[in-house]
Amino acid sequence: MPRMYHDQDVDLSVLSGHTIGVIGYGNQGRAQALNIRDSGFEPLIGNRDDPYRDTAIKDNFVVHAISDVAERAAILLMLIPDEVQPQVYESQIKPHLKAGDVLCFASGYNIFYGTIEPPAGVGAIMVAPRMIGAAVRDLYTRRLGFPCLVAGREGDDPQCLSIALALARAIGATRLGAFQSSFREEVVIDLFAEQMLWPGIIKLCLLYFEKLVENGCDPEIVATELHLSGEFVEIAKAMITHGFFGQLKLHSQTSQYGQLSRMERMAPAELLTCVNIAIQEIISGRFHTEWTKEQEAGKPNMKRLWQHALEHPLAKSEARLEALRKIVARSYGPASD
Ligand code: NAI
């Protein structure tokens, strides 16, 4: 078991006397800034002139230019998208950093891939909620917590980790528990889910749809069975309430036997090769290089891939089932990231 920290393990007072700056007021920025304020600290918000700035003002924050916050704050939470962080860091943050400042990231991405390299004397920590921003705020207001990964860097002042833990407490994470982790672990876990687990599930769902339609089933009935009924979500919820395997007991004996007896053949050697390629692309930085080049080129492949996805017959069936989808969607609340 990795070390897990709870409220009682964490000294919140290490934040006292430090100016905390929150760069960005989006999904995580808004949630974390509000939680930090409700935990007794008044963060400075740094945001460019866009609608997020207006939201921060409506929430009664005084909003400053990013470079002003970088100048004034000793603890800076980097809560803008990972892909824009290096450029914003170089132009608006780095010139204002002083020895003893601490940069806090909500993902391991830029530190692990070396696209942000804080100067000597400036610490880098990670407080990475395993939760979307809206829920970070909602759970805090309900006095509940959420899982979080916390890390410092080898060679930095040990006080940096205490600051990371205090921030994890201030945003409400240690109410449930914060795991001690690393920048590398966060990146690998996160990107591997995005590049192996979720695309694997999506591809299997499409194969399910295609094979059943090919065998004479009605596409709308298949789409309803696949995801529009909400059963998918109920199974995912049951994995939490009854356990990953325990939820199988909620299915019929025929279903249980079908699932357990056919599970292994769903991972043939070719699939395992793809799984290995996926993790190597992440660890070696190959994916990072590819994605950086894609962004520099104006994301031509991303546009093509989106277009291809939306041309799938499942998307067309879903469009025909719009009314049904809206009714089921009401049971599951607003869409989340
Ligand atoms: P977001 O997409 O909600 O960020 C919006 C904010 O970024 C706004 O304040 C906007 O003004 C600012 N921004 C966007 N482009 C900018 C630019 N070019 N220059 C200056 N400011 C710019 O970001 P999100 O999703 O909250 O992610 C922030 C960090 O949190 C990332 O490191 C992400 O990996 C991490 N994270 C996000 C989660 C989520 O719920 N989305 C979950 C856990 C971690």
Side-chain angles (χ1 to χ4, degrees):
M1 232 348 230
R3 173 112 201 239
M4 193 182 218
Y5 295 89
H6 296 97
D7 279 1
Q8 62 271 23
D9 307 316
V10 178
D11 178 10
L12 204 52
S13 72
V14 297
L15 299 178
S16 306
H18 293 298
T19 304
I20 301 172
V22 174
I23 306 296
Y25 204 75
N27 294 312
Q28 288 295 325
R30 176 171 191 265
Q32 295 195 27
L34 289 171
N35 292 3
I36 288 170
R37 178 161 74 185
D38 290 347
S39 292
F41 305 91
E42 191 58 39
L44 301 176
I45 308 298
N47 209 93
R48 65 181 183 179
D49 198 1
D50 66 9
Y52 294 98
R53 184 176 183 276
D54 304 334
T55 308
I57 291 168
K58 271 193 211 117
D59 288 339
N60 292 320
F61 282 110
V62 179
V63 185
H64 308 266
I66 291 174
S67 52
D68 287 348
V69 174
E71 171 73 41
R72 290 169 61 183
I75 300 171
L76 269 184
L77 277 64
M78 296 285 284
L79 296 175
I80 57 178
D82 292 325
E83 56 274 20
V84 305
Q85 283 186 20
Q87 177 259 319
V88 173
Y89 169 80
E90 286 298 327
S91 58
Q92 297 169 66
I93 294 176
K94 192 174 161 192
H96 307 284
L97 292 175
K98 301 165 287 300
D101 286 353
V102 175
L103 287 172
C104 178
F105 297 85
S107 90
Y109 197 83
N110 283 303
I111 292 293
F112 177 63
Y113 288 122
T115 27
I116 292 182
E117 289 180 351
V122 172
I125 56 175
M126 182 182 79
V127 177
R130 313 323 287 162
M131 194 58 69
I132 58 160
V136 164
R137 179 60 184 158
D138 178 54
L139 290 164
Y140 182 94
T141 56
R142 293 196 283 135
R143 303 210 58 75
L144 299 168
F146 47 87
C148 181
L149 301 182
V150 172
R153 279 187 315 176
E154 247 176 68
D156 277 351
D157 186 334
Q159 177 75 352
C160 289
L161 185 63
S162 307
I163 290 173
L165 290 169
L167 287 170
R169 180 169 170 183
I171 64 170
T174 47
R175 286 177 186 165
L176 184 80
F179 281 114
Q180 176 141 13
S181 180
S182 66
F183 287 91
R184 178 189 189 275
E185 188 169 59
E186 196 280 335
V187 171
V188 177
I189 286 175
D190 204 40
L191 296 194
F192 196 48
E194 292 166 4
Q195 294 172 36
M196 191 283 279
L197 185 60
W198 306 129
I201 289 172
I202 289 174
K203 190 65 193 169
L204 275 181
C205 289
L206 293 178
L207 283 174
Y208 174 86
F209 178 89
E210 288 161 13
K211 195 47 73 180
L212 285 173
V213 172
E214 198 183 302
N215 280 275
C217 297
D218 181 273
E220 272 78 72
I221 292 179
V222 178
T224 305
E225 179 76 13
L226 179 62
H227 67 300
L228 292 174
S229 66
E231 191 187 12
F232 210 116
V233 181
E234 295 304 331
I235 291 173
K237 281 200 221 161
M239 284 181 176
I240 304 170
T241 48
H242 295 265
F244 189 81
F245 291 112
Q247 57 81 24
L248 283 172
K249 297 259 171 68
L250 302 178
H251 303 252
S252 70
Q253 288 277 316
T254 309
S255 168
Q256 289 176 36
Y257 180 72
Q259 294 191 50
L260 292 168
S261 65
R262 268 54 181 172
M263 196 165 65
E264 289 308 321
R265 75 175 181 199
M266 297 310 295
E270 293 87 342
L271 179 64
L272 296 181
T273 305
C274 297
V275 166
N276 284 330
I277 291 172
I279 198 140
Q280 282 313 320
E281 283 178 345
I282 295 165
I283 292 170
S284 67
R286 218 174 312 138
F287 170 80
H288 173 255
T289 307
E290 176 187 323
W291 175 221
T292 305
K293 283 188 185 150
E294 171 71 6
Q295 291 173 81
E296 285 164 2
K299 303 184 195 157
N301 290 312
M302 176 103 135
K303 284 176 197 142
R304 183 180 50 74
L305 290 163
W306 256 114
Q307 195 181 345
H308 180 68
L310 294 177
E311 278 164 6
H312 193 278
L314 174 60
K316 306 211 182 320
S317 288
E318 195 184 60
R320 286 192 288 272
L321 289 162
E322 182 71 356
L324 174 78
R325 191 181 63 74
K326 283 190 172 152
I327 294 167
V328 180
R330 269 187 236 132
S331 329
Y332 291 101
S336 52
D337 184 8

